[in-house]
């Protein structure tokens, strides 16, 4: 007999990710609609989206062309297997992405999230060296304060303590570069800090410790995002590239956040003039309309696998939902919006005004640092001596109550809105933030 009793819609069943569940459920913040630059809260308020959802809605919310593309694809074909099969939009999407990427990053492996993209890139790096007869290269190098998703590979090379400490020993053979942030030496820098390029030299120390013959890859975010927006020091990424080239080490850029216009160009690799061997993307790839990720590889990496009998699988890796038809439809429509509306160019043009907005907060009480690059920013607050992270949380909540959604990382407020933003949105966001920070003890 069919169950007819109503199922209660309460808050208890969903164990929410990266959330203080008990705190949230005591005073929930619910979103029920979204369009362009705004969310609609459950009590009917328009909330300016200051963080593009989770760094991912680069083209703004509920764009009609993307919605229609997903609807049409769902009606035509809901799913196609990607193991030993394919569908046309997957190849079209990959080709357009390869054309957008810098250099010879012209091969694309599809996954479904930034975490999956990172694990994919790490596995490709390890398998690449083995395919070339250099299988002793198994060591992976990450960076302190790095965020590379939540898979075991990602938290192993990542460097955020809370994401690592309760999950055991993780992957063996991983080492970490130092992070690049120093309040003493770079506080209130505009754009890329002048101090810190020398920190790339620590890779030489790690090579000397382990020997280059054991190291497969180095993975870094061009701009460390989730830890609180840490722009790279001037020359830092180029020096990492030089050291990797010197020792035959693959360089992986995690562009899950920086990809698709956030720095005013398609990818941070283009902005900084540094070409990685592999590049992970997700988030803005489909404007977050459908989960998807893409790992870009350079020609020499891809071609190392295309050896041996043609009937043999070259890489024993993939996901049921790799190149999902709905994701490819959303991605193609998203690329059209980026191109037709010049959103990367808009981000680049507004970056100086954005920078001025960020640094207009200098002198606001409890603000101890301001950081910016492209359309990304961090406002670091002095922690309360008796309650670290609480001041940041109070600012986060009050901003939402005032009509601004920001991103919270400890006592750091991060902002990076959709790239359809205007000067008026920038003024509104930093005006609200200034008033809220001033009002919070």
């Amino acid at each position: 007999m069919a169950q007819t009793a109503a199922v209660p819609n309460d808050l208890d069943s969903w164990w929410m990710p990266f959330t203080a569940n008990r705190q949230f459920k005591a005073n929930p913040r619910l979103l029920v609609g979204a369009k362009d630059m705004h969310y609609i809260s459950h009590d009917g308020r328009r909330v300016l989206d200051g963080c593009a959802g989770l760094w991912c809605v680069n083209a703004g919310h509920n764009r009609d062309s993307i919605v229609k593309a997903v609807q049409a694809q769902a009606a035509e074909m809901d799913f196609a297997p990607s193991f030993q099969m394919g569908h046309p939009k997957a190849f079209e999407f990959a080709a357009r992405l390869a054309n957008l990427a810098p250099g010879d990053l012209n091969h694309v492996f599809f996954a479904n999230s930034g975490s999956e993209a990172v694990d994919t890139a790490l596995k490709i790096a390890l398998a690449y060296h083995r395919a070339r007869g250099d299988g002793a290269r198994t060591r992976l190098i990450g960076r302190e304060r790095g965020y590379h998703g939540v898979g075991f590979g990602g938290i192993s090379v990542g460097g955020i303590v809370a994401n690592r400490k309760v999950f055991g020993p993780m992957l063996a053979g991983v080492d970490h570069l130092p992070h690049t942030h120093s309040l003493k030496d770079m506080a209130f820098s505009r754009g890329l800090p002048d101090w810190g390029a020398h920190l790339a030299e620590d890779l030489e120390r790690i090579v000397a410790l382990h020997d280059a013959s054991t190291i497969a890859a180095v993975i870094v975010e061009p701009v460390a995002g989730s830890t609180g927006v840490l722009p790279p020091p001037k020359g830092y990424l180029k020096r990492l590239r030089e050291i990797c080239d010197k020792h035959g080490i693959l360089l992986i850029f995690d562009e899950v956040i920086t990809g698709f216009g956030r720095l005013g160009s398609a990818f941070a690799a283009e902005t900084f003039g540094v070409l990685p061997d592999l590049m992970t993307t997700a988030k803005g790839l489909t404007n977050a309309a459908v989960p998807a990720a893409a790992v870009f590889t350079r020609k020499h990496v891809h071609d190392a696998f295309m050896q041996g009998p043609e009937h043999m699988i070259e890489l024993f890796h993939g996901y049921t939902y790799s190149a999902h038809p709905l994701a490819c439809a959303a991605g193609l429509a998203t690329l059209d919006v980026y191109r037709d509306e010049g959103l990367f160019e808009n981000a680049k043009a507004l970056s100086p005004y954005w920078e001025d907005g960020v640094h207009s907060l200098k002198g606001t009480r409890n603000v101890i640092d301001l950081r910016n690059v492209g359309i990304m920013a961090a406002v670091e607050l002095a922690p309360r001596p008796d309650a670290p992270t609480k001041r940041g949380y109070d600012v986060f909540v009050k901003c939402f109550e005032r009509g601004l959604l920001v991103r919270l990382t400890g006592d750091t407020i991060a902002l990076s809105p959709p790239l359809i933003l205007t000067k008026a949105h920038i003024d509104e966001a930093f005006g609200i933030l200034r008033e809220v920070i001033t009002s919070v003890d």
Side-chain angles (χ1 to χ4, degrees):
M1 181 175 178
Q3 183 178 0
T4 57
V7 176
N9 182 12
D10 61 25
L11 301 179
D12 189 55
S13 297
W14 185 27
W15 189 351
M16 300 171 67
F18 279 111
T19 299
N21 278 251
R22 293 161 295 172
Q23 184 183 59
F24 175 89
K25 292 170 184 179
N27 184 24
R29 296 170 295 278
L30 303 179
L31 304 172
V32 299
K35 184 62 180 171
D36 297 333
M37 287 291 295
H38 292 85
Y39 279 109
I40 305 298
S41 66
H42 70 283
D43 53 357
R45 296 182 301 108
R46 277 163 51 92
V47 179
L48 180 63
D49 185 0
C51 46
L54 280 175
W55 316 90
C56 52
V57 188
N58 293 15
H61 292 276
N62 281 28
R63 301 303 306 271
D64 291 345
S65 60
I66 300 173
V67 171
K68 290 176 181 177
V70 174
Q71 290 172 331
Q73 182 59 55
E76 177 183 286
M77 182 173 66
D78 54 352
F79 177 77
S82 57
F83 300 178
Q84 306 288 6
M85 299 295 295
H87 63 92
K89 283 189 175 67
F91 294 98
E92 181 185 359
F93 192 26
R96 287 189 59 184
L97 289 169
N99 186 61
L100 189 64
D104 62 344
L105 284 163
N106 51 15
H107 296 279
V108 177
F109 196 103
F110 287 115
N112 307 285
S113 68
S115 296
E116 288 185 3
V118 165
D119 279 11
T120 296
L122 298 177
K123 289 174 74 174
I124 289 174
L126 294 170
Y128 163 81
H129 289 293
R130 186 179 177 92
R132 297 174 64 250
D134 208 0
R137 288 184 179 263
T138 60
R139 191 173 299 278
L140 302 167
I141 310 300
R143 187 168 60 184
E144 297 168 359
R145 293 188 66 166
Y147 180 77
H148 301 292
V150 295
F152 269 97
I155 63 172
S156 296
V157 295
I160 296 178
V161 175
N163 294 353
R164 294 163 49 89
K165 65 182 181 181
V166 303
F167 301 115
M170 294 171 282
L171 296 185
V174 174
D175 210 334
H176 289 78
L177 291 161
H179 66 75
T180 62
H181 184 51
S182 170
L183 277 175
K184 180 176 76 73
D185 297 294
M186 58 173 64
F188 300 102
S189 294
R190 283 179 170 258
L192 306 188
D194 293 319
W195 181 93
H198 65 282
L199 295 170
E201 299 298 331
D202 204 64
L203 182 54
E204 289 281 20
R205 179 193 63 79
I206 292 174
V207 169
L209 175 64
H210 300 295
D211 196 78
S213 66
T214 71
I215 301 175
V218 172
I219 181 169
V220 296
E221 302 158 273
V223 178
S226 294
T227 191
V229 185
L230 307 182
K234 293 174 182 175
Y236 172 85
L237 295 174
K238 288 186 177 181
R239 185 59 186 140
L240 282 185
R241 176 74 274 180
E242 291 168 356
I243 297 172
C244 286
D245 285 342
K246 174 182 174 182
H247 296 292
I249 299 167
L250 295 179
L251 178 61
I252 305 170
F253 275 2
D254 185 340
E255 295 226 29
V256 169
I257 286 176
T258 53
F260 304 100
R262 204 146 289 285
L263 300 187
S265 57
F267 303 102
E270 184 180 346
T271 299
F272 297 128
V274 179
L275 188 65
D277 299 293
L278 297 100
M279 185 169 70
T280 65
T281 65
K283 295 190 183 289
L285 178 69
T286 61
N287 204 44
V290 179
V295 178
F296 294 72
T297 72
R298 292 181 64 183
K299 186 178 188 299
H300 69 274
V301 175
H302 169 270
D303 289 356
F305 292 87
M306 301 301 137
Q307 311 295 328
E310 291 187 3
H311 70 280
M312 291 295 294
I313 294 170
E314 294 95 2
L315 179 65
F316 282 82
H317 176 72
Y319 304 94
T320 297
Y321 302 118
S322 290
H324 192 283
L326 269 64
C328 291
L332 287 166
T334 297
L335 292 183
D336 287 346
V337 173
Y338 291 153
R339 178 197 62 205
D340 296 344
E341 299 187 8
L343 294 190
F344 301 168
E345 293 81 2
N346 186 56
K348 184 174 182 178
L350 285 176
S351 290
Y353 195 84
W354 173 263
E355 180 176 280
D356 287 343
V358 176
H359 288 274
S360 71
L361 299 178
K362 188 173 182 179
T364 304
R365 71 168 184 161
N366 294 319
V367 172
I368 61 173
D369 193 20
L370 297 162
R371 302 185 286 274
N372 71 282
V373 60
I375 304 298
M376 299 174 68
V379 180
E380 187 167 345
L381 306 173
R384 290 174 181 155
D386 58 335
T389 77
K390 190 64 170 62
R391 176 174 283 135
Y393 178 79
D394 288 347
V395 169
F396 164 75
V397 171
K398 287 200 172 188
C399 279
F400 182 74
E401 292 171 350
R402 284 288 316 278
L404 173 66
L405 180 64
V406 298
R407 182 89 168 83
L408 177 65
T409 302
D411 280 302
T412 296
I413 302 298
L415 298 98
S416 193
L419 305 182
I420 60 172
L421 81 167
T422 65
K423 289 182 178 180
H425 295 128
I426 296 172
D427 293 342
E428 180 183 358
F430 289 110
I432 292 173
L433 192 55
R434 180 185 300 103
E435 291 178 10
V436 169
I437 292 173
T438 301
S439 71
V440 169
D441 292 331

